[in-house]
Every structure is written in structure tokens, then in C-alpha cells.
Amino acid sequence: MSKVKIGVSMLYSLGEPFNRMVKRLDSEGTRYIEVLDDGAHELNKTRVNMLNETAKSYDLEYTVHAPFADINIASPSKAFLGVTLKRLTKSLYCAANLNAKLWVLHPGAKTGVSQFYPNADWKQNIQSIQELYAEAEQLGVTIAIENLPSKYWFIMSTPDDFHRFYKETSLPIGIVLDIGHAHLENQIKPFFDQLANKIVHIHASDNNGVNDDHLGVGYGTLDYNWFAKTLKKIDCKERVIVESCEHVPESLQKLKNIL
């Protein structure tokens, strides 16, 4: 029996009212649920209580995806950055109250003025992560950083970027390996070859190597048979979360079959 914990992200239901999303949780076919603290599903005390009651009823285990819309932890605007970090800190408190097993954070991104301030976005990215880590540590929340494609201006997309991060900080922060994002950079194998010991969580979707389409597992060009063999080879025990926006039940079942 696989040691991998196969779960599902509620990303595909982000356009639905929060209450309708919650009602879906008992029929997802897994107890490992990733909720998104964003958009119409932004968390607050009432919603956290609702999720906790649902978790008790159906023996669910949550991870929380931090807000990401209009969020840039490497922003050169101090005013905007202050609002961003305040919003992310609120999310950390919600994750703590959910007893979330992990809080997934997006790295910073370049902006239209990055070329005028070389390396400033990278330095701010690190400083923001350090501040958030300190807050998370006090709350007892484990955080990890997701790889995001450089084509969308993100500054932590390859193993080299993460090597640099680990070289410049001493933070014990793991990687959320989004294999769909890594596929766009042709970096799935390098991540497993170089940083397998840092991978603490995996997002699984598919695409055709061009855009971050969040297709169902097996509906793009990502080699999921190789992926399954690799997870078994490294004896992965982490959560693999389906982050598809279509064919979600089929994606869950495929991963259960191959893992």
C-alpha cells in the first residue's frame, strides 16, 4: 500500500460560494484537503470554525494555501508590502486555528521596476520569508515555498533558485514542488535529483508545457508514470495534492492507481 497521502486542492471550486465548497468536502474521496485562503474563500473566524466542524465530522486533515491574488512578497512598494504581509499573517493565524499541517507560500515576483534595482526583489523576497517564518514558528505552523514559473516573473522557479535561497538563509523551510510549474521549466527531474530531501509537499496537475493550465492528471504531456516511479524510488511519504481544475475525481483515482 502506498505511503503517499493523496489529497485534493479546492482550487477547482474557487469560483463557488464558500458554503458550497465546504459541503463538497465529505465527498472528495480523500481526507487530505488543501483549502485556499483567497478570493471568495478568504478565511475568517466563522469559516475556520465551519471547516473545523467539518473536519471533525469526516476526519479531514487540512493544508492551507496562502493568499496569492495580487500578492507579491518581493514588492518594491513598502506600502503595498506592508498590506501584503499583514494579509499573509492573518492567513497564518487561520492556518494555526485549523491545525493545518502546512501553509503553502508563493515566492516573490519581479516587477516593472526590477531592472532599475538589481537584486532588490530577491533581497526583499528573503526578508519577507524570514518575517513570515518567524511568525509561523510562534504559531506552530509549518510553512513551505512553492516553485513558480519564471515566465510569470516569479523568482524561485528552478533548483538553482532554491539552492541560492538555502545558501543565503538558515531557515528550515521545505519545498512545495508543483510539478505542473516545474514541467513548464523542464525542471521536474532536476528538482528530484537535486532537492528530493527538501520536498515536503507536492501539487499535481497537468499541462502541455506551455501554459499553467491545471489540466487533469494525464490530460497533458507530463510523464506521470515516471513521476510515480520516482516517488517510489525516493520512498516519498509526503502529501500529493491534486491541483487540477478539471477531471478532479479522475485525477484522484489515477494517482491512487499509480501510487
Side-chain angles (χ1 to χ4, degrees):
M1 185 175 180
S2 173
K3 298 176 182 178
V4 174
K5 303 176 182 72
I6 300 170
V8 64
S9 165
M10 300 312 292
L11 175 66
Y12 78 94
S13 66
L14 193 58
E16 299 178 353
F18 183 84
N19 290 1
R20 187 183 301 173
M21 181 274 290
V22 174
K23 290 178 180 178
R24 288 180 178 273
L25 298 182
D26 68 321
S27 58
E28 288 294 346
T30 176
R31 59 184 295 263
Y32 304 108
I33 304 292
E34 187 152 297
V35 295
L36 282 82
D37 184 6
D38 212 333
H41 296 180
E42 180 176 340
L43 297 177
N44 55 38
K45 184 176 180 180
T46 299
R47 289 177 169 183
V48 166
N49 289 339
M50 188 183 304
L51 286 168
N52 278 332
E53 288 301 314
T54 305
K56 290 178 184 177
S57 298
Y58 301 106
D59 189 29
L60 303 179
E61 186 176 285
Y62 295 124
T63 53
V64 173
H65 196 304
F68 55 90
D70 299 321
I71 295 289
N72 182 7
I73 63 172
S75 173
S77 167
K78 297 303 180 184
F80 182 80
L81 189 65
V83 173
T84 293
L85 293 176
K86 183 177 180 180
R87 173 70 183 93
L88 291 171
T89 299
K90 176 191 171 188
S91 182
L92 275 171
Y93 274 81
C94 289
N97 290 328
L98 276 175
N99 194 31
K101 302 303 178 183
L102 190 72
W103 187 71
V104 179
L105 175 66
H106 279 188
K110 293 181 180 180
T111 70
V113 300
S114 292
Q115 62 179 315
F116 301 105
Y117 307 97
N119 207 42
D121 45 23
W122 179 263
K123 290 180 179 178
Q124 185 58 64
N125 178 66
I126 287 183
Q127 182 178 330
S128 295
I129 293 171
Q130 289 171 328
E131 292 179 21
L132 291 166
Y133 176 79
E135 192 72 46
E137 193 172 33
Q138 288 195 9
L139 292 169
V141 176
T142 301
I143 74 175
I145 304 170
E146 182 176 353
N147 60 301
L148 270 289
S150 60
K151 69 179 294 181
Y152 300 129
W153 288 42
F154 287 97
I155 59 178
M156 294 182 73
S157 59
T158 68
D160 285 347
D161 298 325
F162 281 87
H163 282 305
R164 179 184 179 187
F165 173 79
Y166 291 126
K167 182 178 180 180
E168 295 181 13
T169 74
S170 58
L171 299 179
I173 294 179
I175 298 171
V176 177
L177 179 60
D178 187 304
I179 59 173
H181 295 164
H183 187 44
L184 296 179
E185 305 278 338
N186 196 28
Q187 293 293 314
I188 298 178
K189 189 175 185 298
F191 266 109
F192 280 113
D193 286 347
Q194 300 176 35
L195 291 163
N197 64 322
K198 294 290 189 180
I199 297 170
V200 298
H201 195 70
I202 296 173
H203 284 166
S205 65
D206 216 333
N207 60 64
N208 293 311
V210 179
N211 296 310
D212 188 22
D213 300 309
H214 287 270
L215 303 177
V217 171
Y219 288 84
T221 56
L222 203 153
D223 188 348
Y224 268 96
N225 289 324
W226 178 91
F227 170 70
K229 291 177 182 176
T230 300
L231 291 196
K232 293 172 183 176
K233 180 180 178 180
I234 66 174
D235 193 27
C236 178
K237 300 179 178 66
E238 310 301 343
R239 295 172 192 82
V240 177
I241 302 294
V242 171
E243 206 182 40
S244 302
C245 289
E246 57 183 48
H247 303 292
V248 175
E250 296 92 336
S251 298
L252 272 168
Q253 191 56 55
K254 174 153 187 170
L255 288 181
K256 289 177 181 179
N257 289 344
I258 65 176
L259 295 177

